[in-house]
Amino acid sequence: MIKMKTINKAHQKNRLAWEEAFNHQSESFRTDTIHKLSLNPKLLFTPELQRHLEKVGQHGGIIAQFCANNGRETMGALTYGFKQSVGFDIATNMVEFANHTAKTLNLNASFVQTDILEIDVSYANQFDAVLITVGALCWFKDLDAFFEKVAISLKSGGYLIIEEAHPFANCLAGHGEAEFDPNNLKKIAHDYFKTSPWIENTGMGYMTDQTYESLAFESYSHTLSELLNALRKHLIELIEFHESDIDQSNLFTDLNHTGIPLTMNILAKKK
Ligand SMILES: C[S@@+](CC[C@H](N)C(=O)[O-])C[C@H]1O[C@@H](n2cnc3c(N)ncnc32)[C@H](O)[C@@H]1O
């Protein structure tokens, strides 16, 4: 029986919103990428990510990044010893930029335009490591489907490196939200177990330096148990789990060092 490919409409709407955001990118976002990649790619990573990339990269091999954006981290990861890197992202213009940049800087990196959930079997058992950084998991309603793709594409014994917003941070309200209270930054504004999507149409400030009336982005919260259960289901074993009260999402920097979990780092291994 031939299996029909189903197009995820919400993901395609997000693609248009991300492509629009990339077209609105600030000059500093664009030049910062080239600048850091040319001068010192390690500047692209937090100390915790650097530690994990060093540990895994010393063995060489191929690293893939899921939701690679403009490819800066995928290309930057090569500095840790990987011999090749591959980035996957749904936004066509980001992938074009990333492929062009890799060629210009003579880096052994390539980029593929795809919905992560459409990554096909030609990538099965291809990668020694998969990298996921802040703001990637929220685009997938079902983490199980996402980590199935990670597990299929990793070689047996391959590593998964994650730096993501801590699930608890979904309870907080950021600047610009109706629930935001400047006098009570630690307010629990949202349900930790929220299952309905977030719909936002004020752009992607971290890429554009300003808000604008944008196409709608649809994203999801996930609990810690959803994440851990999805990893376990796909035989991805935790090696290290680290939580920190330093925000890497650019949404809650006012709360840095105040005892609220804002970022998590995971090093895991496929059995
Ligand atoms: C916030 S970035 C994450 C990477 C990195 N931390 C960064 O800021 O560049 C999120 C990326 O996910 C991509 N994305 C969103 N939904 C996707 C999907 N279904 N499949 C592949 N990429 C997707 C977007 O195009 C965007 O480049």
Side-chain angles (χ1 to χ4, degrees):
M1 195 176 74
I2 298 170
K3 206 175 167 193
M4 295 294 287
K5 212 172 168 181
T6 49
I7 299 291
N8 185 316
K9 288 194 184 135
H11 288 191
Q12 290 308 317
K13 282 190 183 164
N14 280 340
R15 175 176 67 77
L16 296 177
W18 275 104
E19 287 172 353
E20 180 187 55
F22 196 60
N23 288 335
H24 276 77
Q25 71 179 304
S26 63
E27 186 56 16
S28 61
F29 183 75
R30 198 183 64 78
T31 50
D32 191 57
T33 295
I34 311 284
H35 189 70
K36 285 183 177 153
L37 278 173
S38 313
L39 243 68
N40 180 5
K42 292 188 177 175
L43 294 173
L44 290 157
F45 303 103
T46 61
E48 200 63 24
L49 259 186
Q50 292 196 29
R51 203 168 60 73
H52 287 161
L53 286 166
E54 258 158 31
K55 189 169 175 168
V56 178
Q58 63 180 314
H59 306 296
I62 310 176
I63 185 166
Q65 183 174 14
F66 282 22
C67 298
N69 196 269
N70 69 358
R72 59 198 189 286
E73 294 161 337
T74 319
M75 291 182 264
L78 291 169
T79 201
Y80 294 96
F82 299 102
K83 68 175 196 296
Q84 190 187 339
S85 63
V86 180
F88 297 95
D89 200 281
I90 201 165
T92 309
N93 51 1
M94 293 181 197
V95 167
E96 280 169 5
F97 171 89
N99 275 320
H100 176 77
T101 305
K103 204 169 167 195
T104 309
L105 299 178
N106 201 19
L107 296 170
N108 194 15
S110 59
F111 295 86
V112 180
Q113 188 280 325
T114 180
D115 182 343
I116 296 301
L117 300 191
E118 300 293 336
I119 290 178
D120 65 40
V121 287
S122 63
Y123 291 101
N125 303 310
Q126 290 299 300
F127 302 124
D128 301 275
V130 167
L131 173 66
I132 292 161
T133 63
V134 172
L137 297 181
C138 60
W139 309 107
F140 303 89
K141 184 175 183 181
D142 180 7
L143 285 188
D144 184 13
F146 180 88
F147 284 108
E148 184 180 9
K149 294 296 179 183
V150 171
I152 288 172
S153 63
L154 270 177
K155 291 177 185 169
S156 175
Y159 289 91
L160 172 61
I161 301 170
I162 302 179
E163 180 165 83
E164 254 297 2
H166 195 289
F168 178 78
N170 285 313
C171 298
L172 304 166
H175 289 266
E177 279 188 61
E179 296 82 356
F180 180 72
D181 178 355
N183 300 314
N184 185 8
L185 298 177
K186 293 183 174 179
K187 180 172 108 177
I188 304 292
H190 305 291
D191 180 355
Y192 177 73
F193 298 97
K194 177 174 160 58
T195 53
S196 58
W198 302 90
I199 308 290
E200 285 153 303
N201 65 351
T202 52
M204 269 301 148
Y206 87 102
M207 280 167 58
T208 58
D209 280 352
Q210 57 188 6
T211 57
Y212 58 95
E213 197 179 322
S214 71
L215 295 172
F217 293 89
E218 180 174 315
S219 62
Y220 289 85
S221 302
H222 301 289
T223 61
L224 198 49
S225 54
E226 269 178 89
L227 169 69
L228 297 178
N229 287 332
L231 294 178
R232 186 192 48 78
K233 180 167 177 189
H234 296 291
L235 305 183
I236 301 172
E237 276 185 332
L238 278 186
I239 300 174
E240 283 183 37
F241 183 83
H242 181 257
E243 299 165 290
S244 103
D245 64 354
I246 303 173
D247 176 48
Q248 301 298 344
S249 73
N250 257 337
L251 296 173
F252 307 112
T253 45
D254 295 343
L255 283 171
N256 280 351
H257 306 295
T258 64
I260 302 272
L262 298 172
T263 304
M264 61 181 178
N265 286 79
I266 290 175
L267 180 64
K269 194 173 187 174
K270 180 180 162 187
K271 277 192 188 164

